[in-house]
């Protein structure tokens, strides 16, 4: 290169090169502890409730303008270190034509719950055309977000299967476990199809510009370790290892997964999300020293006085130092009645403290 040639590396510099979130995911020590919140976009924000007025949840997920606006809202308001793409775990199922809806106050409800082999054919692969408004939103968001990374996500096979088999949210996942143990071949076919759907949905988001992914196995904590290993781990591995070549950090999270943390780290995760039940230093002992962690302030603590929230947050940051990288988050999603100012104060505290 002659001295007069512009330095290409400098002119096309990667705006995400200094991202504290990406550095922590990769096991580095960024300038401050990065923080984002599961469900940061949503009902805790008055600006969210305003734009969602009169628009059904699933319709909003297929409207590029709304996805972009809703994803940006918490980034503008709280100054979090990552955006999470506004969508839902059932969106790829809706996109391939599964008859389901998201009922306010309940969650996903499936018109014809899956109980028999003949019903599996509807679970075909997600093609690019099925999710065009969504990938368009990802492309637009990545431009608008600049130096803030975008996290893409999908629901893991077990959590998706639970909604499809039960027909809606379930406390005990009875029918799902009945299928697993009563007809293991059908279970593995179902979970295998869901794994390909989740994998392809993640790939589509990353190819459109998302710079990390999170696989939500929210309800995996309902399983014993033995059942997780036999019936779930191989399928979650298909999803996470199916995006390895894209080179983005992979976060894997579930609720009540204290007994599964090690295994969840072994199915292709770079970062293991931990709920509030297990202190992060103890979680690191279980997961092993070669994974970053994400978590884990109890979301209900945000209803406590600020000094109590911050004392607990300081403890989370301290305990997170046991891991090679720590992304601060809640132990599960933001609860809708949370005061958004409490979230903004928490972001400022984490940035000033870590
Ligand atoms: C289990 C699960 C679902 N959806 C999701 C999970 C995994 C995460 C978790 O464990 O919480 C994932 C999800 N759903 C939503 C996001 C948005 C991104 C973000 O985190 O900010 C994410 C990451 C939006 C949403 N998804 C949903 C809402 C609320 C709908 C509304 O605003 O009317 C939002 C903002 C609906 C939904 N969808 C689901 C539930 C249980 C609900 C709540 C039902 C209710 O209480 O009304 C299924």
């Amino acid at each position: 290169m002659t001295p007069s040639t512009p330095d290409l590396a400098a002119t096309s510099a990667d705006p995400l090169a200094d991202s504290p979130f990406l550095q922590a995911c990769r096991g580095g020590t960024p300038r401050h502890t990065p923080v984002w919140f599961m469900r940061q976009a949503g009902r805790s924000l008055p600006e969210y409730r305003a734009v969602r007025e009169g628009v059904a949840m699933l319709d909003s997920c297929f409207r590029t303008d709304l996805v972009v606006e809703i994803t940006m809202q918490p980034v503008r308001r709280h100054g979090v270190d990552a955006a999470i793409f506004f969508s839902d775990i059932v969106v790829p199922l809706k996109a391939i034509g599964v008859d389901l809806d998201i009922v306010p106050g309940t969650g996903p409800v499936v018109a014809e719950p899956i109980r028999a082999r003949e019903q599996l054919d509807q679970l075909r692969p997600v093609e690019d055309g099925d999710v065009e408004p969504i990938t368009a939103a990802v492309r637009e968001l990545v431009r608008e977000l600049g130096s803030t990374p975008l996290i893409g996500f999908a629901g893991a096979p077990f959590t998706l299967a639970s909604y499809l088999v039960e027909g809606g949210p379930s406390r005990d996942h009875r029918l799902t476990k009945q299928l697993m143990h009563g007809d293991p071949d059908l279970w593995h076919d179902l979970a295998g199809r869901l794994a390909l759907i989740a994998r392809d949905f993640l790939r589509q988001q990353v190819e459109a510009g998302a710079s990390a992914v999170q696989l939500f196995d929210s309800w995996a904590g309902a399983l014993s370790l033995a059942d997780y290993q036999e019936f779930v781990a191989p399928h979650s591995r298909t999803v996470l290892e199916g995006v390895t070549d894209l080179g983005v950090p992979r976060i894997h999270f579930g609720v009540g997964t204290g007994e599964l943390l090690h295994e969840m780290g072994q199915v292709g995760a770079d970062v293991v999300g931990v709920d509030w039940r297990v202190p992060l230093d103890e979680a690191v002992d279980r997961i092993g020293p070669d994974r970053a962690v994400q978590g884990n302030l109890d979301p209900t603590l945000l209803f406590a006085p600020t000094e109590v929230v911050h004392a607990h947050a300081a403890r989370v940051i301290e305990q997170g130092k046991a891991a090679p990288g720590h992304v601060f988050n809640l132990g599960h999603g933001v609860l809708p009645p949370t005061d958004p100012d409490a979230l903004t104060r928490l972001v400022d505290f984490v940035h000033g403290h870590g």
Side-chain angles (χ1 to χ4, degrees):
M1 193 187 283
T2 62
S4 58
T5 311
D7 182 348
L8 273 181
T11 49
S12 59
D14 177 3
L16 298 175
D18 289 328
S19 154
F21 166 76
L22 292 175
Q23 286 170 353
C25 287
R26 298 200 162 105
T29 311
R31 61 185 182 278
H32 62 238
T33 302
V35 47
W36 70 279
F37 304 117
M38 292 184 276
R39 293 278 172 95
Q40 64 191 13
R43 285 168 293 183
S44 65
L45 301 183
E47 59 271 35
Y48 170 81
R49 297 195 295 269
V51 295
R52 277 286 319 285
E53 187 90 46
V55 187
M57 173 65 192
L58 275 175
D59 291 341
S60 68
C61 295
F62 287 89
R63 275 190 44 192
T64 303
D65 58 336
L66 284 180
V67 172
V68 171
E69 168 58 22
I70 295 171
T71 303
M72 290 304 297
Q73 286 175 346
V75 179
R76 286 187 207 119
R77 184 190 264 264
H78 304 308
V80 281
D81 294 277
I84 181 150
F85 177 61
F86 177 74
S87 192
D88 193 85
I89 56 168
V90 296
V91 160
L93 300 176
K94 181 77 181 173
I96 59 171
V98 178
D99 187 356
L100 56 82
D101 201 2
I102 293 181
V103 177
T106 300
V109 174
V110 179
E112 289 173 35
I114 293 191
R115 310 275 161 78
R117 179 162 297 281
E118 307 79 75
Q119 291 169 286
L120 290 192
D121 279 346
Q122 61 182 313
L123 300 176
R124 63 162 177 83
V126 192
E127 282 147 23
D128 289 351
D130 301 324
V131 289
E132 175 45 35
I134 294 167
T135 45
V138 171
R139 286 190 295 272
E140 200 172 318
L141 275 165
V142 169
R143 277 196 301 274
E144 202 161 315
L145 283 162
S147 60
T148 303
L150 179 68
I151 304 169
F153 74 88
F158 173 73
T159 292
L160 288 178
S162 173
Y163 284 111
L164 286 175
V165 173
E166 307 287 339
S170 166
R171 191 157 297 171
D172 50 21
H173 308 275
R174 175 174 59 87
L175 297 165
T176 316
K177 291 183 182 183
Q178 187 182 340
L179 176 65
M180 245 179 209
H181 291 283
D183 193 344
D185 286 346
L186 179 55
W187 165 262
H188 283 295
D189 282 358
L190 169 63
R193 284 173 186 254
L194 294 172
L196 299 184
I197 289 168
R199 178 198 69 186
D200 291 345
F201 190 47
L202 292 180
R203 292 191 70 88
Q204 283 151 340
Q205 295 171 62
V206 174
E207 281 160 5
S211 45
V213 294
Q214 176 154 329
L215 186 64
F216 283 97
D217 209 352
S218 300
W219 314 138
L223 296 166
S224 67
L225 177 60
D227 283 354
Y228 181 82
Q229 286 170 321
E230 181 173 353
F231 294 107
V232 174
H235 303 292
S236 296
R237 181 175 287 117
T238 299
V239 184
L240 289 170
E241 291 189 349
V243 298
T244 309
D245 60 307
L246 299 174
V248 299
R250 298 157 298 174
I251 309 168
H252 194 192
F253 168 78
V255 184
T257 52
E259 300 301 321
L260 310 179
L261 286 172
H262 181 75
E263 202 61 27
M264 287 180 75
Q266 296 303 307
V267 297
D270 304 296
V271 184
V272 178
V274 182
D275 84 358
W276 65 91
R277 293 173 178 86
V278 182
L280 285 184
D281 47 358
E282 167 66 28
V284 171
D285 280 347
R286 298 182 191 187
I287 294 162
D290 52 354
R291 299 283 186 281
V293 294
Q294 175 173 280
N296 71 345
L297 190 81
D298 184 339
T300 63
L301 262 171
L302 286 158
F303 298 84
T306 303
E307 58 278 13
V308 176
V309 180
H310 292 181
H312 279 82
R315 197 172 312 155
V316 168
I317 292 168
E318 229 13 73
Q319 292 163 342
K321 289 185 176 147
H326 173 214
V327 176
F328 191 100
N329 206 314
L330 304 178
H332 197 187
V334 173
L335 294 165
T338 304
D339 173 5
D341 292 340
L343 292 168
T344 310
R345 284 194 298 271
L346 179 55
V347 170
D348 291 343
F349 178 81
V350 173
H351 284 169
H353 196 84

